[in-house]
Amino acid sequence: MCGIIGYAGHRPAVPVVMEGLERLEYRGYDSAGVAWPAACGIGVARARGKLSALAEKLAAMPPVLATCAMGHTRWATHGEPAERNAHPHLCPDRSVAIVHNGIIENYQELRQDLLARGYAFQSETDTEVLVNLIAERRKTEPDILRALAVALREARGAYAICLLCEEEPGVLYAARQQAPLICGIGVGENFVASDIPAFLPWTRKVVFLEDGEIIRINATSREIFRISDLSPVGREPASIQWDMQAARKDGYRHFMLKEIFEQPRVINDGLAGRLNAAHDLPALPELDALPIPSRLDIVACGTSWHAGLWGRHLLENWAQIPVSVDIASEFRYRERLLLEKDGAAIFISQSGETADTLAALRRGHDAGIPTLGLCNVVGSSIAREARSVIFTQAGPEISVASTKAMTSQMLALALMAISWALRKGCMEQREAREQIAILRDLPSLLDDILPEMRVRAQELAVKYATCKNFFYLGRGFSWPLALEGALKLKELSYIHAEGYAAGEMKHGPIALIDPAFPTFAIAPDDALFAKLKSNIMEVRARNGKVIALTNPGVELDADDLWIVPKIPAPLSALAALPALQLFSYQMADYLGKDVDQPRNLAKSVTVE
Ligand code: F6R
């Protein structure tokens, strides 16, 4: 996830672009850069690190007077955070520059082809591949719009790009495919950007670009074309009513709500570049660097630990690898034999900075086992220190309570389990394809059901808002969800909640059940449904109220049924998780709590 902005107008463009980038910095801050039409060729400034580093660099240069420019703030996906990987990227003769948000999935094939044609690369990015491809296509198609369309038809993946060409100094081209891109229409000035806040101080009049479209802007005009055949597209502008603060949240009331609703995109992004050319089997080069482990330790904290508990089932069931899952603060002090022949350990952390997880990782190193980090933040300590890293690509998570990061971790674990299962020969390709198809269908299903889910969460939150305690019950794949549901409720609404493996209830906790102590049962229609149904009956027999999150067509006696579409287990968890998140969100909001920054918590726990 990165932020891009382009400006064509009447003011000095670089300060406008820098201001826009400041408001896009939440999308990434590993490096930043700007490009503008200069007296001869294209001027570029890039710097590693936060935007302030780029601002310092620009301040040391003679003022740039160009009235057209584009900029980028980066969240590294291909290539480490470094100046050579910062955008804009230029083609070899420096006649074309582009900034890019997204992933060009077939960049390796394209790069090989360009290398064979004599292109040299300055960076490890897929973006440089794209700008070189455009340069190559211009050899037969000198018109930049046509060359851009031809190149984009060859590129697979998700992208939003902005392009500046030396020969058309006041013009910008931008295009999108499964990544956001909006045009802002001002008076004598036009913008393109990844997000509305980038240009909101200057205009509220916008045109939303659709997938497969290119836009050409200058100071006074804009034209939209289809990438497929360059036919023109007519689109009426819309007017934005939000203020700046709301706009950073895309109009959502809280970052948490925005991040819950981002989960379909997170699944799409997590799959992009992680599937083979046919998009039906995983392709995880990061895993190929490791031998298939004979056993695994998964170590993490909080929500990331819950993702690990869920992942254990997949790694054991599909890849037949025995797995232990530990809380990092316990693991790091336990006297246990880590040095097992052919073992490996996975350290899951959204921030990559959690002190206990980092210490546990170092312990793994000391013991000499291969370590694999599952991190969201590129350049974080765990990402740097682990022997191998899989980035979960959820984009910056701003709300303190983790939501979309867990989905991205679960997705990565599912892809890992399928990869290892295929390599070991314990899963047939047919079954792997079925699971990948489920994952690929999930984003559109979630997009459809999330609004309705939120309405149901709101109804239930209001009904149960006076409760002081909650049980969350689940079995098998749903037990980690029960733990996560309880964690979300307590951290956001300060209501005491316990997550339990449903079969454990009668070993003590059931004594707490009374009409004021409700149970939230995660009861998907899977192999353990009948067992969970019995546990629900045991609760109801003791006058306990039950909310049951389940699937259509089941017979279940509960006070409140919450029906979500049936997806085969274990991936059904990816559709159940947002319901738990939304219930806690709505409860906290209804109770007037500080949803995005709950008391006593920090986003990144860098102390023990
Ligand atoms: C709960 C939450 C925490 C984190 C935990 C680990 O909503 O966010 O429980 O999951 O602090 O953080 P990371 O994943 O950054 O190591």
Side-chain angles (χ1 to χ4, degrees), residues 164-229:
L164 174 64
C165 179
E166 175 186 25
E167 288 151 36
E168 297 182 50
V171 179
L172 291 173
Y173 292 85
R176 77 160 264 177
Q177 182 63 39
Q178 289 176 38
L181 189 67
I182 304 118
C183 171
I185 306 159
V187 180
E189 57 189 359
N190 285 307
F191 305 77
V192 284
S194 307
D195 203 353
I196 292 165
F199 53 67
L200 201 59
W202 299 291
T203 182
R204 287 169 177 268
K205 201 166 153 191
V206 302
V207 169
F208 292 95
L209 277 257
E210 300 290 345
D211 284 347
E213 292 179 351
I214 297 179
I215 188 165
R216 174 164 62 194
I217 61 165
N218 62 20
T220 52
S221 73
R222 59 180 198 283
E223 294 156 281
I224 304 175
F225 309 91
R226 286 186 190 87
I227 294 174
S228 57
D229 56 3

Side-chain angles (χ1 to χ4, degrees), residues 15-168:
V16 173
V17 163
M18 286 297 285
E19 202 181 319
L21 286 180
E22 248 171 61
R23 282 184 291 274
L24 292 176
E25 211 178 8
Y26 76 93
R27 300 178 65 87
Y29 35 77
D30 302 324
S31 58
V34 285
W36 61 90
C40 45
I42 295 177
V44 171
R46 307 186 300 180
R48 188 199 154 138
K50 293 206 167 196
L51 204 53
S52 49
L54 177 64
E56 273 170 33
K57 215 169 198 179
L58 285 165
M61 292 167 57
V64 177
L65 300 175
T67 55
C68 176
M70 63 184 191
H72 185 270
T73 177
R74 179 165 187 251
W75 175 267
T77 54
H78 290 86
E80 58 168 324
E83 190 171 322
R84 70 176 184 289
N85 289 327
H87 301 214
H89 289 279
L90 290 107
C91 63
D93 69 2
R94 300 180 67 86
S95 61
V96 180
I98 67 169
V99 291
H100 164 219
N101 162 35
I103 295 168
I104 306 298
E105 291 173 18
N106 56 339
Y107 83 105
Q108 264 159 337
E109 294 153 53
L110 296 171
R111 187 181 162 109
Q112 288 312 320
D113 189 55
L114 290 164
L115 281 169
R117 289 169 191 270
Y119 283 80
F121 290 85
Q122 318 298 320
S123 76
E124 291 107 61
T125 63
D126 48 349
T127 309
E128 196 185 4
V129 172
L130 187 58
V131 73
N132 284 347
L133 180 66
I134 297 165
E136 176 61 22
R137 295 302 167 248
R138 281 194 86 199
K139 289 181 181 163
T140 47
E141 190 53 91
D143 176 67
I144 187 68
L145 174 63
R146 290 186 179 281
L148 171 63
V150 171
L152 291 178
R153 281 176 221 144
E154 290 173 55
R156 273 202 320 267
Y159 54 77
I161 62 147
C162 187
L163 177 149
L164 174 64
C165 179
E166 175 186 25
E167 288 151 36
E168 297 182 50

